[in-house]
Amino acid sequence: MLVSDAVAAVLAEFGADTVFGVVGSGNFHVTNALVKRGVRFVPARHECGAASMADGWARTTGRPGLLSVHQGPGLTNAMTGITEAAKSRTPLVVLAADVAASAIRSNFRIDVAAIASAVGAAPARLHSPDFAVDDTVRAYRTAVEERRTVILALPLDVQGGECPAPDAAMLAAARPVQAKVAVAGRKATGPGNRAKLLHEAESPEAPARLADAIRRAERPVFVAGRGARTSHAGEDLMALADVAGALLATSAAAKGLFRGSPWDLDISGGFASPLAAELIRDADLLVGWGCSLNMWTMRHGALIKPGTVVAQVDIESDALGGHRPVDLGVTGDVAAVAREATAILASDGAASGGAGATGYRSPELRLRIEREVRWRDVPYDDESDGRMIDPRTLSIALDDLLPAERTVAIDSGNFMGYPSMYLSVPDADGFCFTQAYQSIGLGLASAIGAAIARPDRLTVAALGDGGALMGVSELETAVRLRLPMIIVVYDDEAYGAEVHHFGPDGHPLDTVRFPPVNIAKIARGFGCSAVKVRQEADLANVGEWLDGPRAEPLLIDAKITSKRGSWWLEEAFRGH
Ligand SMILES: Cc1ncc(C[n+]2csc(CCOP(=O)(O)OP(=O)(O)O)c2C)c(N)n1
Ligand SMILES: [Mg+2]
């Protein structure tokens, strides 16, 4: 069997059913070998788009993504999307064609392993035809078990070699199913407090110590992050919060995890509403569940009052205390630790006659949360003037108009808080937030990946004009695939983030402002439907598209007011 075929056989056997990419001579055979095995190939128009599609798809399905690129420029074009995936710990295998080891003078020769390592991806390689199956198995297992983005270099001479067909029984036995708890054999080596923290976190007593801290807390708040989402811990955390009387919040990456709970404060951090921020800051115990408690989620620490006990639960010991001091760590799977803590606290309750803790919860607070915690219920001065619409007004109107069963994907920029804060999502899979690397231009492609992953939901891509034009080539992909998507462009005719960053200090802004661009016309040129929104009434046209066959994507070209920078960005700039 050809090695390119064997690689495809391994991936198909492991369950790959969708691969994104751009095909050149170097990845032609391996991509076709996948297609021959029933894997769907989604051709993108730019490798960076293909990478973000694979990333968005993997985040939305919770399964490892697959990307196929040509050697040399195919890989380098993909690098920004790959870097975002690597920083977000998206399990992703990149099939990266490469020149033969002997092609010393080829201009396509780049140091693939060095490129991978440089951005935090894991390097892998087909070493020879004899080892190709093992190498592919190992790369896939690294992606799944360590939640890594793996760049698997496929040298052309090795791809063209012959190898025995992979053994089906061996593959079945080698198939990775889930992330491993990465603590076995690992011992704390850091100095002082960190060593103590890690030592205690890995002890079997750690969940009991956490339960004890929860038991003693009067105002516990749980903040769940990406790790809680990948651990599918929503139900278990809500059950524990019920026993503990805790309030619930998430990082942006896990928005939607507690949807439906009356105690859900939504996102913690720069995007938190005033009431959410107040309640989080008043906690006497904060538990980060699969959540790094980084500067975004904790507003540079401003959401933690002095004296608040901070605990953190993570499947990786290394993550504990990584961003701020924690008093108590637990190494373990989030859902499993939550269940263990619930069992401990429930047995307390049984011993004391069944009375559960009320903790932070009261009927009055429940009512306040219901009435005030959503951003849309926070009063604001509408700056819409008939020529431009206030981005808050636009976002609230869209939230009302669009079906609740939706996936919201967000690009980077000043605008990004509006859709993040004002558009609700049905669950954590309904939110795709590719912001670990803070690149603009990935939002449209990640939305396309999410739309392919969840065709049953309406996908909403929220972009700035800068990010939209940077990633514009993938409009053709959305049209070609007839994806039922809405693409909302918050157009301020500028790199607004930079305008608001530097404007207040009186710097010249000509480098970050642009003349008007007719984005609706560009979208129509690609084959999209498009509507121009200058005031709220213009959104009636969106209703018409929603009522129609939705045969092509709809782009909403919205000119937005931008008198001043967004409040969450002011927060972010404090960190630079
Ligand atoms: C690839 C990349 N280039 C440059 C930047 C720096 N940058 C951050 S936000 C931004 C402006 C984005 O403009 P737009 O998409 O219109 O959103 P806005 O800030 O105007 O809301 C830029 C250039 C970046 N984050 N990523
Ligand atoms: Mg802009």
Side-chain angles (χ1 to χ4, degrees):
M1 177 185 268
L2 271 178
V3 166
S4 51
D5 215 14
V7 170
V10 172
L11 296 168
E13 185 63 35
F14 280 171
D17 61 16
T18 308
V19 56
F20 298 84
V22 174
V23 166
S25 57
N27 60 334
F28 183 87
H29 293 302
V30 73
T31 307
N32 274 331
L34 285 162
V35 171
K36 194 176 75 186
R37 288 186 156 72
V39 177
R40 177 184 182 190
F41 174 60
V42 180
R45 286 301 185 173
H46 191 292
E47 285 87 353
C48 184
S52 292
M53 287 175 203
D55 188 3
W57 183 92
R59 292 179 198 223
T60 308
T61 57
R63 294 168 51 204
L66 198 54
L67 170 67
S68 171
V69 294
H70 182 58
Q71 69 265 28
L75 179 61
T76 50
N77 256 1
M79 281 320 296
T80 304
I82 289 175
T83 305
E84 166 62 37
K87 304 274 179 200
S88 289
R89 302 288 299 270
T90 301
L92 179 68
V93 176
V94 183
L95 302 173
D98 195 7
V99 297
S102 57
I104 302 290
R105 297 205 174 273
S106 167
N107 274 350
F108 289 128
R109 187 181 190 83
I110 54 175
D111 190 338
V112 175
I115 288 176
S117 307
V119 301
R125 169 167 289 271
L126 298 186
H127 292 97
S128 73
D130 283 347
F131 286 98
V133 167
D134 284 356
D135 291 333
T136 309
V137 168
R138 195 181 312 114
Y140 194 90
R141 289 178 65 108
T142 301
V144 176
E145 293 180 345
E146 297 177 25
R147 295 170 313 284
R148 298 290 301 275
T149 293
V150 180
I151 302 184
L152 176 60
L154 311 176
L156 298 176
D157 55 338
V158 180
Q159 280 196 60
E162 290 282 338
C163 68
D167 178 75
M170 182 279 282
L171 287 183
R175 182 176 179 162
V177 280
Q178 60 184 27
K180 274 196 287 203
V181 179
V183 290
R186 190 191 279 188
K187 278 285 157 265
T189 52
N193 289 341
R194 181 157 179 80
K196 182 167 175 285
L197 170 78
L198 298 190
H199 178 70
E200 288 175 358
E202 292 171 10
S203 120
E205 304 303 318
R209 271 199 289 268
L210 175 65
D212 194 44
I214 294 173
R215 187 185 288 124
R216 279 184 277 125
E218 289 174 8
R219 293 179 309 284
V221 172
F222 294 171
V223 185
R226 192 192 312 279
R229 180 177 170 189
T230 39
S231 158
H232 304 288
E235 296 293 329
D236 290 319
L237 286 173
M238 286 195 275
L240 175 59
D242 283 346
V243 178
L247 305 184
L248 296 157
T250 67
S251 67
K255 178 180 166 80
L257 193 69
F258 301 125
R259 186 81 213 279
S261 165
W263 307 104
D264 180 13
L265 306 179
D266 203 9
I267 300 178
S268 171
F271 296 159
S273 69
L275 178 60
E278 176 194 321
L279 294 172
I280 294 165
R281 204 184 131 72
D282 272 351
D284 62 351
L285 171 69
L286 262 179
V287 189
W289 295 92
C291 177
S292 66
L293 303 175
N294 64 20
M295 65 180 193
W296 310 107
T297 310
M298 288 292 119
R299 289 195 186 172
H300 299 283
L303 290 180
I304 306 175
K305 211 171 45 188
T308 298
V309 175
V310 180
Q312 198 185 346
V313 180
D314 206 286
I315 198 167
E316 289 183 355
S317 301
D318 275 354
L320 300 175
H323 286 269
R324 62 190 56 263
V326 298
D327 303 295
L328 175 72
V330 183
T331 303
D333 172 69
V334 170
V337 174
R339 284 195 297 271
E340 205 173 331
T342 305
I344 294 168
L345 293 176
S347 68
D348 276 6
S352 65
T358 51
Y360 215 148
R361 300 180 176 186
S362 69
E364 300 75 37
L365 187 61
R366 183 177 169 145
L367 202 61
R368 239 190 118 194
I369 291 172
E370 190 184 323
R371 290 189 179 152
E372 286 177 48
V373 88
R374 296 187 311 167
W375 269 106
R376 57 175 298 150
D377 297 323
V378 177
Y380 67 96
D381 288 332
D382 190 338
E383 292 173 357
S384 307
D385 60 7
R387 291 178 305 113
M388 291 179 289
I389 184 166
D390 188 307
R392 294 166 289 190
T393 309
L394 169 68
S395 306
I396 292 169
L398 287 172
D399 194 43
D400 289 337
L401 197 58
L402 304 180
E405 274 298 309
R406 62 177 81 139
T407 309
V408 177
I410 314 245
D411 208 324
S412 202
N414 179 67
F415 77 96
M416 71 184 174
Y418 299 113
S420 301
M421 298 187 306
Y422 290 90
L423 294 185
S424 63
V425 294
D427 52 35
D429 290 341
F431 198 61
C432 186
F433 196 68
T434 43
Q435 301 292 340
Y437 195 39
Q438 283 180 55
S439 174
I440 64 168
L442 308 184
L444 173 60
S446 62
I448 290 173
I452 291 168
R454 289 300 300 262
D456 55 316
R457 287 182 166 171
L458 176 74
T459 300
V460 185
L463 320 173
D465 49 312
L469 291 170
M470 189 174 278
V472 74
S473 56
E474 302 308 344
L475 278 183
E476 191 280 333
T477 304
V479 170
R480 172 169 28 90
L481 300 178
R482 298 170 67 89
L483 294 176
M485 304 176 54
I486 290 191
I487 301 145
V488 190
V489 181
Y490 290 75
D491 183 5
D492 62 355
E493 299 177 359
Y495 291 155
E498 313 306 352
V499 169
H500 300 301
H501 189 175
F502 295 105
D505 293 331
H507 294 287
L509 297 172
D510 293 347
T511 51
V512 287
R513 283 200 172 122
F514 292 87
V517 175
N518 192 336
I519 295 176
K521 193 169 176 186
I522 291 173
R524 288 192 196 104
F526 275 98
C528 292
S529 282
V531 299
K532 292 188 178 187
V533 173
R534 307 290 180 259
Q535 50 189 332
E536 203 174 335
D538 298 334
L539 287 166
N541 297 320
V542 177
E544 273 173 34
W545 181 88
L546 285 169
D547 293 339
R550 305 185 195 176
E552 66 290 305
L554 173 72
L555 183 135
I556 300 175
D557 166 347
K559 291 278 188 208
I560 56 158
T561 59
S562 56
K563 283 192 189 148
R564 67 185 85 82
S566 49
W567 54 97
W568 61 88
L569 216 60
E570 283 162 23
E571 192 68 44
F573 290 151
R574 293 206 298 124
H576 287 272

